[in-house]
PDB file of all heavy atoms in Angstrom:
ATOM      1  N   GLY D  85     105.250  73.299 194.417  1.00  0.00           N
ATOM      2  CA  GLY D  85     104.098  74.071 194.890  1.00  0.00           C
ATOM      3  C   GLY D  85     104.578  75.135 195.850  1.00  0.00           C
ATOM      4  O   GLY D  85     105.227  74.832 196.848  1.00  0.00           O
ATOM      5  N   VAL D  86     104.279  76.399 195.523  1.00  0.00           N
ATOM      6  CA  VAL D  86     104.710  77.510 196.373  1.00  0.00           C
ATOM      7  C   VAL D  86     103.476  78.161 196.989  1.00  0.00           C
ATOM      8  O   VAL D  86     102.537  78.507 196.271  1.00  0.00           O
ATOM      9  CB  VAL D  86     105.501  78.555 195.554  1.00  0.00           C
ATOM     10  CG1 VAL D  86     105.884  79.739 196.436  1.00  0.00           C
ATOM     11  CG2 VAL D  86     106.729  77.927 194.922  1.00  0.00           C
ATOM     12  N   CYS D  87     103.492  78.329 198.291  1.00  0.00           N
ATOM     13  CA  CYS D  87     102.430  79.045 199.013  1.00  0.00           C
ATOM     14  C   CYS D  87     101.079  78.367 198.767  1.00  0.00           C
ATOM     15  O   CYS D  87     100.868  77.253 199.199  1.00  0.00           O
ATOM     16  CB  CYS D  87     102.441  80.526 198.610  1.00  0.00           C
ATOM     17  SG  CYS D  87     101.561  81.572 199.796  1.00  0.00           S
ATOM     18  N   ASN D  88     100.169  79.010 198.031  1.00  0.00           N
ATOM     19  CA  ASN D  88      98.887  78.356 197.743  1.00  0.00           C
ATOM     20  C   ASN D  88      99.125  77.042 196.989  1.00  0.00           C
ATOM     21  O   ASN D  88      98.361  76.080 197.154  1.00  0.00           O
ATOM     22  CB  ASN D  88      97.997  79.299 196.923  1.00  0.00           C
ATOM     23  CG  ASN D  88      96.568  78.807 196.762  1.00  0.00           C
ATOM     24  OD1 ASN D  88      95.997  78.876 195.675  1.00  0.00           O
ATOM     25  ND2 ASN D  88      95.952  78.296 197.835  1.00  0.00           N
ATOM     26  N   GLY D  89     100.197  76.978 196.207  1.00  0.00           N
ATOM     27  CA  GLY D  89     100.533  75.738 195.512  1.00  0.00           C
ATOM     28  C   GLY D  89     100.880  74.610 196.480  1.00  0.00           C
ATOM     29  O   GLY D  89     100.547  73.441 196.243  1.00  0.00           O
ATOM     30  N   PHE D  90     101.555  74.943 197.563  1.00  0.00           N
ATOM     31  CA  PHE D  90     101.863  73.974 198.629  1.00  0.00           C
ATOM     32  C   PHE D  90     100.542  73.509 199.267  1.00  0.00           C
ATOM     33  O   PHE D  90     100.318  72.315 199.482  1.00  0.00           O
ATOM     34  CB  PHE D  90     102.775  74.647 199.662  1.00  0.00           C
ATOM     35  CG  PHE D  90     103.292  73.760 200.772  1.00  0.00           C
ATOM     36  CD1 PHE D  90     103.304  72.376 200.677  1.00  0.00           C
ATOM     37  CD2 PHE D  90     103.798  74.334 201.940  1.00  0.00           C
ATOM     38  CE1 PHE D  90     103.795  71.578 201.724  1.00  0.00           C
ATOM     39  CE2 PHE D  90     104.290  73.559 202.982  1.00  0.00           C
ATOM     40  CZ  PHE D  90     104.284  72.177 202.877  1.00  0.00           C
ATOM     41  N   GLN D  91      99.656  74.477 199.524  1.00  0.00           N
ATOM     42  CA  GLN D  91      98.352  74.127 200.116  1.00  0.00           C
ATOM     43  C   GLN D  91      97.580  73.190 199.190  1.00  0.00           C
ATOM     44  O   GLN D  91      96.953  72.223 199.649  1.00  0.00           O
ATOM     45  CB  GLN D  91      97.541  75.412 200.376  1.00  0.00           C
ATOM     46  CG  GLN D  91      98.170  76.317 201.435  1.00  0.00           C
ATOM     47  CD  GLN D  91      97.628  77.746 201.423  1.00  0.00           C
ATOM     48  OE1 GLN D  91      97.081  78.207 200.422  1.00  0.00           O
ATOM     49  NE2 GLN D  91      97.782  78.446 202.531  1.00  0.00           N
ATOM     50  N   ILE D  92      97.660  73.427 197.890  1.00  0.00           N
ATOM     51  CA  ILE D  92      96.958  72.579 196.914  1.00  0.00           C
ATOM     52  C   ILE D  92      97.562  71.172 196.915  1.00  0.00           C
ATOM     53  O   ILE D  92      96.845  70.170 196.908  1.00  0.00           O
ATOM     54  CB  ILE D  92      97.006  73.208 195.503  1.00  0.00           C
ATOM     55  CG1 ILE D  92      96.213  74.524 195.476  1.00  0.00           C
ATOM     56  CG2 ILE D  92      96.448  72.237 194.459  1.00  0.00           C
ATOM     57  CD1 ILE D  92      96.445  75.382 194.236  1.00  0.00           C
ATOM     58  N   LEU D  93      98.895  71.072 196.947  1.00  0.00           N
ATOM     59  CA  LEU D  93      99.559  69.755 196.962  1.00  0.00           C
ATOM     60  C   LEU D  93      99.138  68.956 198.196  1.00  0.00           C
ATOM     61  O   LEU D  93      98.943  67.739 198.128  1.00  0.00           O
ATOM     62  CB  LEU D  93     101.082  69.919 196.943  1.00  0.00           C
ATOM     63  CG  LEU D  93     101.688  70.386 195.619  1.00  0.00           C
ATOM     64  CD1 LEU D  93     103.193  70.622 195.787  1.00  0.00           C
ATOM     65  CD2 LEU D  93     101.437  69.358 194.520  1.00  0.00           C
ATOM     66  N   ILE D  94      98.999  69.644 199.320  1.00  0.00           N
ATOM     67  CA  ILE D  94      98.570  68.988 200.560  1.00  0.00           C
ATOM     68  C   ILE D  94      97.121  68.539 200.457  1.00  0.00           C
ATOM     69  O   ILE D  94      96.781  67.399 200.791  1.00  0.00           O
ATOM     70  CB  ILE D  94      98.795  69.952 201.750  1.00  0.00           C
ATOM     71  CG1 ILE D  94     100.292  70.050 201.995  1.00  0.00           C
ATOM     72  CG2 ILE D  94      97.977  69.536 202.962  1.00  0.00           C
ATOM     73  CD1 ILE D  94     100.727  70.163 203.404  1.00  0.00           C
ATOM     74  N   GLU D  95      96.260  69.425 199.948  1.00  0.00           N
ATOM     75  CA  GLU D  95      94.845  69.066 199.810  1.00  0.00           C
ATOM     76  C   GLU D  95      94.659  67.944 198.796  1.00  0.00           C
ATOM     77  O   GLU D  95      93.720  67.163 198.889  1.00  0.00           O
ATOM     78  CB  GLU D  95      94.018  70.292 199.405  1.00  0.00           C
ATOM     79  CG  GLU D  95      93.760  71.254 200.568  1.00  0.00           C
ATOM     80  CD  GLU D  95      92.738  70.712 201.571  1.00  0.00           C
ATOM     81  OE1 GLU D  95      91.974  69.786 201.224  1.00  0.00           O
ATOM     82  OE2 GLU D  95      92.712  71.212 202.711  1.00  0.00           O
ATOM     83  N   ALA D  96      95.540  67.874 197.806  1.00  0.00           N
ATOM     84  CA  ALA D  96      95.464  66.814 196.796  1.00  0.00           C
ATOM     85  C   ALA D  96      96.045  65.504 197.321  1.00  0.00           C
ATOM     86  O   ALA D  96      95.987  64.483 196.634  1.00  0.00           O
ATOM     87  CB  ALA D  96      96.200  67.250 195.525  1.00  0.00           C
ATOM     88  N   GLY D  97      96.636  65.545 198.509  1.00  0.00           N
ATOM     89  CA  GLY D  97      97.215  64.332 199.080  1.00  0.00           C
ATOM     90  C   GLY D  97      98.563  63.970 198.474  1.00  0.00           C
ATOM     91  O   GLY D  97      99.079  62.873 198.690  1.00  0.00           O
ATOM     92  N   LEU D  98      99.165  64.898 197.712  1.00  0.00           N
ATOM     93  CA  LEU D  98     100.474  64.611 197.100  1.00  0.00           C
ATOM     94  C   LEU D  98     101.613  64.856 198.088  1.00  0.00           C
ATOM     95  O   LEU D  98     102.726  64.390 197.888  1.00  0.00           O
ATOM     96  CB  LEU D  98     100.663  65.458 195.833  1.00  0.00           C
ATOM     97  CG  LEU D  98      99.787  65.015 194.655  1.00  0.00           C
ATOM     98  CD1 LEU D  98      99.779  66.056 193.539  1.00  0.00           C
ATOM     99  CD2 LEU D  98     100.244  63.658 194.109  1.00  0.00           C
ATOM    100  N   LEU D  99     101.334  65.629 199.138  1.00  0.00           N
ATOM    101  CA  LEU D  99     102.276  65.807 200.244  1.00  0.00           C
ATOM    102  C   LEU D  99     101.479  65.636 201.545  1.00  0.00           C
ATOM    103  O   LEU D  99     100.287  65.956 201.583  1.00  0.00           O
ATOM    104  CB  LEU D  99     102.932  67.200 200.190  1.00  0.00           C
ATOM    105  CG  LEU D  99     103.950  67.428 199.063  1.00  0.00           C
ATOM    106  CD1 LEU D  99     104.397  68.891 199.026  1.00  0.00           C
ATOM    107  CD2 LEU D  99     105.169  66.511 199.207  1.00  0.00           C
ATOM    108  N   PRO D 100     102.126  65.163 202.604  1.00  0.00           N
ATOM    109  CA  PRO D 100     101.384  64.873 203.837  1.00  0.00           C
ATOM    110  C   PRO D 100     101.206  66.106 204.736  1.00  0.00           C
ATOM    111  O   PRO D 100     101.924  67.092 204.591  1.00  0.00           O
ATOM    112  CB  PRO D 100     102.292  63.854 204.537  1.00  0.00           C
ATOM    113  CG  PRO D 100     103.664  64.241 204.105  1.00  0.00           C
ATOM    114  CD  PRO D 100     103.537  64.772 202.686  1.00  0.00           C
ATOM    115  N   GLY D 101     100.249  66.005 205.646  1.00  0.00           N
ATOM    116  CA  GLY D 101     100.066  67.047 206.658  1.00  0.00           C
ATOM    117  C   GLY D 101      98.922  67.978 206.331  1.00  0.00           C
ATOM    118  O   GLY D 101      98.036  67.649 205.538  1.00  0.00           O
ATOM    119  N   GLY D 102      98.948  69.148 206.975  1.00  0.00           N
ATOM    120  CA  GLY D 102      97.924  70.156 206.759  1.00  0.00           C
ATOM    121  C   GLY D 102      98.530  71.523 206.994  1.00  0.00           C
ATOM    122  O   GLY D 102      99.582  71.642 207.629  1.00  0.00           O
ATOM    123  N   LEU D 103      97.876  72.559 206.441  1.00  0.00           N
ATOM    124  CA  LEU D 103      98.347  73.932 206.678  1.00  0.00           C
ATOM    125  C   LEU D 103      97.236  74.697 207.372  1.00  0.00           C
ATOM    126  O   LEU D 103      96.202  74.996 206.776  1.00  0.00           O
ATOM    127  CB  LEU D 103      98.781  74.587 205.368  1.00  0.00           C
ATOM    128  CG  LEU D 103     100.119  74.018 204.862  1.00  0.00           C
ATOM    129  CD1 LEU D 103     100.286  74.226 203.371  1.00  0.00           C
ATOM    130  CD2 LEU D 103     101.295  74.627 205.626  1.00  0.00           C
ATOM    131  N   LEU D 104      97.459  74.958 208.656  1.00  0.00           N
ATOM    132  CA  LEU D 104      96.452  75.619 209.489  1.00  0.00           C
ATOM    133  C   LEU D 104      96.629  77.126 209.413  1.00  0.00           C
ATOM    134  O   LEU D 104      97.654  77.629 208.942  1.00  0.00           O
ATOM    135  CB  LEU D 104      96.628  75.189 210.948  1.00  0.00           C
ATOM    136  CG  LEU D 104      96.595  73.696 211.253  1.00  0.00           C
ATOM    137  CD1 LEU D 104      96.982  73.461 212.702  1.00  0.00           C
ATOM    138  CD2 LEU D 104      95.211  73.143 210.979  1.00  0.00           C
ATOM    139  N   LYS D 105      95.612  77.823 209.940  1.00  0.00           N
ATOM    140  CA  LYS D 105      95.724  79.266 210.093  1.00  0.00           C
ATOM    141  C   LYS D 105      96.980  79.576 210.909  1.00  0.00           C
ATOM    142  O   LYS D 105      97.324  78.827 211.823  1.00  0.00           O
ATOM    143  CB  LYS D 105      94.474  79.754 210.838  1.00  0.00           C
ATOM    144  CG  LYS D 105      94.154  81.202 210.624  1.00  0.00           C
ATOM    145  CD  LYS D 105      92.742  81.517 211.113  1.00  0.00           C
ATOM    146  CE  LYS D 105      91.662  81.204 210.107  1.00  0.00           C
ATOM    147  NZ  LYS D 105      91.735  81.974 208.855  1.00  0.00           N
TER     148      LYS D 105
END
Side-chain angles (χ1 to χ4, degrees):
Chain D
V86 177
C87 198
N88 189 224
F90 185 19
Q91 294 163 339
I92 294 167
L93 288 175
I94 288 216
E95 283 287 342
L98 288 167
L99 289 173
L103 287 157
L104 304 172
K105 203 166 276 297

